[in-house]
Amino acid sequence: MKKKEHEEKGFSFDGEFYLWDYRYYDRKYIEETLSLDDTLVKEYFPVSVVVPTILSIYQNLLGVRFEETKDASTWHPGSLNCSSCLSFRYT
């Protein structure tokens, strides 16, 4: 797959498949063979539902408790309780 793509784009190919190639070509393989688009799948798994569900599973399996830290000092004032954030901090 890598060799074919390099030939199509006119890039030289050294015959090697590097560790950093894996995620890229894995995604391309899935998209091509299954006609699956990650962005469409993500619509069915919103962060606001997935994160609390995963934390609940971890709490039950591992016997830990996750709770939000109110008024914690952070590097940026909007880093907690941000609906558009890609990640959340739990302590």
Side-chain angles (χ1 to χ4, degrees):
M1 180 178 262
K2 182 178 179 180
K3 181 179 179 181
K4 179 182 172 187
E5 181 179 46
H6 277 66
E7 288 172 355
E8 289 172 356
K9 294 185 177 185
F11 299 150
S12 62
F13 178 60
D14 62 4
E16 297 290 328
F17 187 81
Y18 298 100
L19 180 62
W20 52 84
D21 292 330
Y22 176 78
R23 301 270 312 180
Y24 174 75
Y25 287 104
D26 180 53
R27 182 184 53 80
K28 285 188 68 75
Y29 177 78
I30 289 171
E31 287 176 357
E32 290 176 11
T33 59
L34 302 177
S35 299
L36 184 66
D37 184 359
D38 281 350
T39 55
L40 295 175
V41 173
K42 288 177 184 179
E43 292 177 13
Y44 293 96
F45 299 97
V47 171
S48 61
V49 174
V50 172
V51 170
T53 302
I54 290 175
L55 292 177
S56 175
I57 291 170
Y58 285 164
Q59 289 180 138
N60 292 331
L61 285 176
L62 304 175
V64 296
R65 187 179 73 182
F66 297 97
E67 57 185 51
E68 185 179 355
T69 303
K70 303 280 186 193
D71 301 320
S73 63
T74 61
W75 64 273
H76 188 274
S79 63
L80 295 175
N81 298 326
C82 175
S83 62
S84 63
C85 293
L86 296 176
S87 64
F88 297 89
R89 179 178 157 227
Y90 291 91
T91 58

